[in-house]
Structures are given as C-alpha cells and as structure tokens.
Amino acid sequence: MNRRALALPLAACLAAASLAGCGATADAGDRASDPARRAALKPFYGQTLKWTDCGRGEGDTPALRCARLTVPRDYGHPENGGTFSLPVAKAATAGPDERLGSLVYNPGGPGASGVSDLRSDGGEAFGAEVRARFDIVSFDPRGVGGSRPAVRCAESEGDDEGAPEPITPATAKDRARAFAAARAEAAGCVRASGGLLRQVGTADAARDLDVLRAALGDKKLTYLGWSYGTSLGTAYAEQFPHRVRALVLDGAIDPSLDWRERAVSQGTGFRRAVDDYAERCADVAGDSCPGASPAGISELIEGLYEEAAREPLPVDDEELYDVDARTLLDVVTGAMYAPEDDWEDLSEALGAAADGDGTRLAELARGEEPATASGRRARGAAPENDDEAIVAVSCLDTPHPRAAADYWKALGPAERAAGVYGTSSVVDELTCADWPPATGRPHRVSAEGVPPVLVVGTTGDPATPYEEAKSLAGQFPGGMLLTYEGVGHTAYGRAGACVTDAVDDYLIDLEPVRSGATC
C-alpha cells in the first residue's frame, strides 16, 4: 500500500519545486542538451547489452533473453564510478520481419520486478498483434528486485510483536506506538541501505529508462506503464518529450497531488471498491457471497472490523496469527485489485469469519502477494524487496512532514472522506516522516513537444481512482483518455477486447483514441 540537491544544474533541477520544468528544458529537442552527447554519459548510452538465454516463462510462454544494463547512481556526477546494474528481460517478437522495435513496460509498484513479471507470462498480458510487432521488454528499476545494489531494510527494533494494530490510532498511546514503529522501520532502512535511499527516485529511474532505450537500439521509446508505471512514464515524458513514440499510462497516478490528497484519493478509491464488491458480489462470486444483499454484505464487513478491533478474530491453526482489524483491512483491500480472481476467496473467508473462524482470512493474509496501494500486483514469483522498495521510492518522490501531529491532523478529513480506508492510507505514510529528504515535488505535467499520450482509467479502480486518470490525461498536451467502465485495478490485459484493441491500435499504428472513448 503501499519518499539533495546536487551540484550540477540538472541534478539541482530534479530537487527543485517542479520536476516538470526540468524535463522540458533537459530535452527540448536541442541536440546540445542531449544527455547521450554528454561525455561522462556516453559510456552508458553507448553500451551493448549482452543477451543470454534465460529460460522460458511459466507454462507455454515464449523463451526469454536476459541482460544487464549499467547506469550511473548519480546522474549529476556520472564520472564518480558509482553504478547500478539492472536486470533486463526480453520476449522477442515471433515475427521479426514485421518488427517495429521494443515495447518497454513497467508492471507497477513501486517495487515490482519487471523481470519477474515478464518471466511469469512471457508478455502475454499484451495483445497478440502487439507481441507480433514488438519485442516485449521489462527491467527492474534502480534499487528494486535484482538491481545491484538493491534497497534493503534491517529488522525494526522495539516493535510490540504480535500486539493488535488498530486501523485508526485514536488514543495517545496508540499514536505514540504507531509513530515509534514507523520511525523504527525508517531507521532500519537507513541502517541497511544508507545513501542508496537518496538514489532510487522515479526521476532517475526515468533517466535509466532512456539509457535502456538507447541500449535497445530504439530512436524513440514505446512504453506501457501500469499503476506506478504511469509515474515512471510521466517522468520520462517530462524529461525526454521528443524521445517518446507512444506512451500508454494505465491506472494513472496524478503527480499534482500532495501526500494528503493522495491518501484521501486512494482511500476513497478503496472505499468505493468495497461498495462495488457488495453491490456486484453475486455477479462475480455467486453463491460464495457472505450476505444475501449488498446491504447485508456491507454490514457484515463493518461488523467484522468492529469485532476485530475489540479482539482479534480467532484462527484454527497454530502457525497463523489471529486476525486483527488492520490485517482484515489488508485482506479486503487486496482482493479489490482483481475481482475476477479474488472475490470468491474473499467471500468465503468473510463468511467463515462471520461464523467465528478467521482461519481463511489469516491464510489469505499470509499467502497473498503484496498488493501495493499504488501498484499493480506483480504476477511473478518474487525473491524481491517489494515492501522495502515501495517505501523507499514513495518517500523519496513526495515530500512528507516530519512532525507526527501533521499526520494526526490528516486523519479527520481522511476518515470523513473514506472511513477506515482513508485513515489507513494516512497511517501508511508515517514511515516517510523519518526518511531522507524528498527529491520530487507535486506538480502538473510539463512535457511540451510530447506526442499524444494515451491514459487508460477504470471507473471502479481501487488503488488509482478514475479521477486521477482524467486529471493526468488533461495535463498532457493532446492527452487522450480511454475509459473502462468496470471494477479492479487497471484495464489493459484484463478488461476485454475493447480496451485491448484500442490500446494495440495506438501502440502499433499510433491511431488516436477519440474523445470520450469508453469500453
């Protein structure tokens, strides 16, 4: 659910009030400002990827090729020798004669491994026509997954292990404990990763993406980003608008929101998604639904929150923890990402809990892949650092207050807007209070000269609400919005032929999407 200024002008610009202004200036078509022509960056832009076979994806997915990309840790001082080595994976097109180039994608997060994601399905989330025309490529961003180095966090010290965690800390004791736990988490990350935490922001990851574009041999970038991947794509468009061929941003994050606004937006998205679950449960989960009516389902969920807040729900398994209210909320919100996959299991678990057995909820909590609030769930097996990376990137990208009181002040508006889904989103931000200073700032997109960008928004998206997609599309010059009327997080790859055809036509033929297009 899932944050220094340098000496040289561009690095200082990245830490200034608006990343957007930096972007257009750094690459506004002026060949003299082309980073590939900067002497210290030429070794990075001129590198040749050494591809090796790295097996097949799962099932019948295509064989993959893998390589490593070297990028500077500090673009302000690339000559200092510090680098990241980033894993890259490619599913080559089956029709090389019709190949248009590479299509690079990011599956979300921040913290999701693009390589693991591509290994899991060989790029089959993309339409068949797209796979026939492009090599499908993904990579692990700096600090994430198989990146060398990668963000690590030491075990937090001083936590009340096993103590029930209230969703909304209301008493002075609960608030002190929540803030202390967040500070301990931040300290563990600083202890294990040190200065690396200052070098994993999205602006620099976008510069890595441009180095990857060059290493792939593409003059311009064709890109699709899901969820957090929309932030990465937006940052690329701002810094390299004339390098964009096609850009699809699905499950959009609005860069103009500050941390409070984002918490309320996200909390509201989850609250509405749970309402959608109650309304549509019978259509998706059938007889598994835990109530006979939408009102009955909503009442059951609220009752379980109240019950778990008083005393954790018991489980019938010695290896599982009883289910406190926060664990219950995490399971419920996690199931909102992919209703077609998760609503039936959630329904059965809620029904059992209503009968006094929280075991199934605890099993879902333990076995579920982390579904970050700002990220599409990575589909691959993950020896990764999802939890550490989402905090590291989010805290570095967005400024947060240092004082605990600022977070407690934000609880009231968040609760009024979205109930426990709003307050939990605020509490999730506490770790950023003790993080190294943020390098990003909230801003409206500035990407003069970028070609039309396609933003895809799902009306019932829990993690990246539809309003953010509308806002982002309006911030891009010539931005296009494709609306999917449905539930779940993101649309392309899971919402049917209408979305697939529109996105594929844009990616392949640069065919624009008409104003008001809806699937």
Side-chain angles (χ1 to χ4, degrees):
M1 303 271 203
N2 71 146
R3 295 176 213 350
R4 277 125 338 256
L6 301 172
L8 297 186
L10 178 59
C13 186
L14 293 178
S18 172
L19 289 174
C22 311
T25 302
D27 189 52
D30 182 356
R31 293 171 64 84
S33 68
D34 185 344
R37 292 174 173 270
R38 185 176 160 195
L41 290 176
K42 281 186 177 181
F44 300 101
Y45 273 91
Q47 68 187 287
T48 299
L49 295 175
K50 298 178 181 178
W51 297 103
T52 60
D53 291 332
C54 52
R56 304 187 70 83
E58 296 177 3
D60 296 326
T61 56
L64 299 181
R65 305 273 285 168
C66 293
R68 280 196 167 268
L69 179 78
T70 302
V71 296
R73 287 180 63 163
D74 181 352
Y75 277 96
H77 301 279
E79 69 282 350
N80 69 8
T83 62
F84 285 98
S85 173
L86 308 180
V88 182
K90 172 176 69 175
T93 175
D97 293 342
E98 297 182 346
R99 180 181 180 275
L100 291 173
S102 306
L103 192 166
V104 182
Y105 80 93
N106 178 279
S113 163
V115 170
S116 290
D117 191 82
L118 188 55
R119 281 182 180 276
S120 73
D121 73 356
E124 291 190 356
F126 293 88
E129 292 187 22
V130 164
R131 298 198 308 273
R133 304 301 298 277
F134 294 96
D135 296 337
I136 306 299
V137 178
S138 197
F139 71 109
D140 289 4
R142 53 175 51 212
V144 172
S147 165
R148 301 173 187 160
V151 173
R152 302 295 176 201
C153 294
E155 194 71 29
S156 299
E157 298 175 358
D159 291 352
D160 291 332
E161 188 70 30
E165 180 183 356
I167 296 174
T168 306
T171 68
K173 180 179 179 181
D174 285 342
R175 290 181 175 185
R177 189 174 70 183
F179 197 61
R183 296 192 69 182
E185 180 182 359
C189 296
V190 171
R191 190 163 62 250
S193 294
L196 179 64
L197 298 180
R198 302 173 183 268
Q199 298 174 323
V200 294
T202 299
D204 279 338
R207 302 197 69 183
D208 299 341
L209 181 56
D210 195 54
V211 174
L212 176 59
R213 172 204 56 77
L216 292 169
D218 294 324
K219 291 184 177 180
K220 294 192 174 185
L221 178 72
T222 300
Y223 174 86
L224 188 148
W226 282 283
S227 198
Y228 164 76
T230 68
S231 293
L232 180 58
T234 297
Y236 185 91
E238 291 183 302
Q239 296 183 76
F240 307 102
H242 294 278
R243 295 269 177 75
V244 173
R245 175 188 171 273
L247 204 66
V248 177
L249 307 177
D250 182 4
I253 295 174
D254 182 352
S256 72
L257 302 183
D258 66 22
W259 76 271
R260 298 172 191 81
E261 294 166 330
R262 177 69 185 136
V264 170
S265 173
Q266 193 169 85
T268 301
F270 278 108
R271 176 187 58 76
R272 292 191 307 218
V274 175
D275 289 343
D276 286 338
Y277 163 70
E279 288 287 341
R280 304 187 186 195
C281 181
D283 295 333
V284 177
D287 293 339
S288 299
C289 291
S293 67
I297 294 172
S298 295
E299 290 172 6
L300 181 145
I301 293 173
E302 290 303 315
L304 287 175
Y305 281 138
E306 294 172 4
E307 183 180 344
R310 291 192 299 268
E311 185 175 354
L313 306 176
V315 300
D316 188 20
D317 187 329
E318 293 181 355
E319 295 185 0
L320 297 173
Y321 288 111
D322 290 346
V323 178
D324 63 15
R326 180 59 203 237
T327 301
L328 172 61
L329 180 138
D330 288 343
V331 172
V332 170
T333 55
M336 298 302 109
Y337 283 76
E340 63 275 18
D341 295 331
D342 297 335
W343 278 10
E344 185 172 348
D345 286 342
L346 174 66
S347 297
E348 293 172 351
L350 291 173
D355 290 334
D357 184 2
T359 305
R360 184 64 184 128
L361 286 172
E363 289 172 345
L364 291 177
R366 182 177 67 175
E368 182 173 84
E369 286 242 351
T372 66
S374 61
R376 179 171 170 263
R377 258 189 290 184
R379 294 162 296 183
E384 280 89 29
N385 57 343
D386 310 55
D387 294 339
E388 296 96 331
I390 188 173
V391 175
V393 177
S394 299
C395 291
L396 194 62
D397 279 355
T398 305
H400 284 70
R402 297 295 186 189
D406 291 310
Y407 297 89
W408 310 142
K409 289 176 185 176
L411 287 175
E415 185 169 28
R416 288 190 292 274
V420 294
Y421 306 102
T423 57
S424 63
S425 292
V426 170
V427 172
D428 285 343
E429 302 296 319
L430 284 172
T431 303
C432 296
D434 253 23
W435 211 258
T439 55
R441 294 292 184 273
H443 66 278
R444 291 184 63 81
V445 173
S446 177
E448 182 180 352
V450 73
V453 170
L454 176 56
V455 179
V456 184
T458 300
T459 55
D461 195 310
T464 52
Y466 178 67
E467 291 81 0
E468 295 195 39
K470 289 197 296 184
S471 176
L472 184 61
Q475 292 176 46
F476 276 105
M480 302 176 292
L481 176 65
L482 174 63
T483 298
Y484 169 55
E485 293 183 336
V487 294
H489 185 39
T490 73
Y492 185 73
R494 58 172 294 270
C498 177
V499 171
T500 297
D501 291 347
V503 172
D504 287 1
D505 288 346
Y506 167 74
L507 288 170
I508 295 169
D509 298 319
L510 303 180
E511 184 174 320
V513 171
R514 62 175 175 79
S515 178
T518 300
C519 293

